[in-house]
Amino acid sequence: MTTTELLVAILAGIVQGVVEWLPVSSQGNLALVFTLVGTDPAAAVQLALFLQLGTTLSAATYYRTELAAAIQTVPGWRPATAYDPDHALASYIAVASLFTGIVGIPLYVFAVDLAGQLTGGVFIAAIGVLLVITGLLQRVSNSVNMGGRDTPSLLDSILVGSVQGFAILPGISRSGVTASALLFRSYDPPSAFRLSFLLSIPASVGAAALTLTSAGGLPGIAPVPAAVALGVSAVVGYLTIDALMRVVERVPFATVCFALGALAIVGGGGIALVV
């Protein structure tokens, strides 16, 4: 492993560890990092999905108590009581994950195929457009009156799972679209982000498995840099999740999406013209 590969792996791990918890696309920003250092766009998409495993470990550790409680209810699960207070969380995670796969798997094939046909500059600009869309969605959701719901329903599971499937596209923020959907469903911000982060665990594991299967192994990265990136993202993610959840409640991250999107559009367009 060269010094450059090590530095890129550390940078990617830090970006993933911090940005995963914000309504700004971690996948989109990681894909930008990899594309700017010369990674093939299709491989950049796959790498960004794979490295979400690091923050999946962070989320699973942070929410270990809730996950353990949800798992303990599974033996007593029955369809008639699927969404009662004792079983609602387990049902939400299972049903939402199913709909994420139904929506996300076809989009994954589309995203990788499309990325492989684009030049680096055009790909960066396309990510910028998707980041702006995320910002618009976040701005609209912030204007909605929020209620006090904290227990998910079947409709919530289908809706949130389906919109999470669209986050397989680079530039669409997974936490942004799922938390926004929950805000629209009258959840308050702490509950919305808690349910969003819990749902990220099976989704990220599934996305990484899909990536490894379709790429026939690690996508465009050696095992040692991959391990470094995963380790850094897991540690940074665990250290920042609590603080960043508090920040999310106060700072209008739609503005961040607009700024990053505009920068990507301008920068990507410039690269495309030069190339």
Side-chain angles (χ1 to χ4, degrees):
M1 179 175 62
T2 67
T3 302
T4 300
E5 290 175 329
L6 176 61
L7 291 176
V8 170
I10 293 173
L11 175 61
I14 292 172
V15 170
Q16 174 63 29
V18 174
V19 181
E20 173 64 23
W21 316 125
L22 308 178
V24 177
S25 173
S26 62
Q27 182 191 345
N29 284 285
L30 271 178
L32 280 173
V33 170
F34 287 126
T35 303
L36 287 172
V37 297
T39 303
D40 175 74
V45 172
Q46 295 174 320
L47 272 172
L49 286 171
F50 171 73
L51 290 181
Q52 290 178 358
L53 276 179
T55 44
T56 297
L57 179 60
S58 302
T61 304
Y62 188 80
Y63 289 110
R64 59 190 180 276
T65 302
E66 292 189 52
L67 286 172
I71 292 171
Q72 289 174 359
T73 67
V74 172
W77 186 93
R78 299 292 184 275
T81 58
Y83 284 92
D84 65 13
D86 291 335
H87 300 97
L89 182 58
S91 298
Y92 162 77
I93 293 174
V95 174
S97 298
L98 172 63
F99 277 86
T100 295
I102 291 173
V103 174
I105 291 175
L107 284 177
Y108 170 81
V109 176
F110 165 78
V112 173
D113 286 348
L114 178 62
Q117 298 173 24
L118 297 177
T119 64
V122 174
F123 181 63
I124 292 172
I127 290 175
V129 172
L130 292 173
L131 284 168
V132 170
I133 292 172
T134 297
L136 290 172
L137 178 60
Q138 187 67 22
R139 177 64 60 84
V140 171
S141 73
N142 285 339
S143 67
V144 176
N145 291 326
M146 300 173 189
R149 296 184 60 206
D150 58 9
T151 302
S153 66
L154 175 60
L155 180 57
D156 296 329
S157 304
I158 295 172
L159 174 63
V160 178
S162 297
V163 299
Q164 181 172 252
F166 285 95
I168 201 123
L169 296 173
I172 296 295
S173 165
R174 191 211 59 78
S175 62
V177 295
T178 54
S180 294
L182 288 161
L183 291 174
F184 276 115
R185 293 287 295 161
S186 298
Y187 287 83
D188 55 29
S191 295
F193 282 98
R194 176 180 65 88
L195 291 171
S196 170
F197 294 157
L198 284 167
L199 190 57
S200 74
I201 297 170
S204 296
V205 171
L210 181 62
T211 298
L212 291 173
T213 300
S214 63
L218 291 174
I221 189 171
V224 174
V228 170
L230 288 175
V232 171
S233 66
V235 172
V236 173
Y238 185 81
L239 293 175
T240 57
I241 184 172
D242 185 60
L244 290 177
M245 280 190 68
R246 292 196 296 270
V247 171
V248 161
E249 297 177 13
R250 296 176 174 84
V251 179
F253 276 100
T255 303
V256 178
C257 289
F258 294 146
L260 289 173
L263 181 62
I265 291 170
V266 173
I271 294 172
L273 289 175
V274 171
V275 175

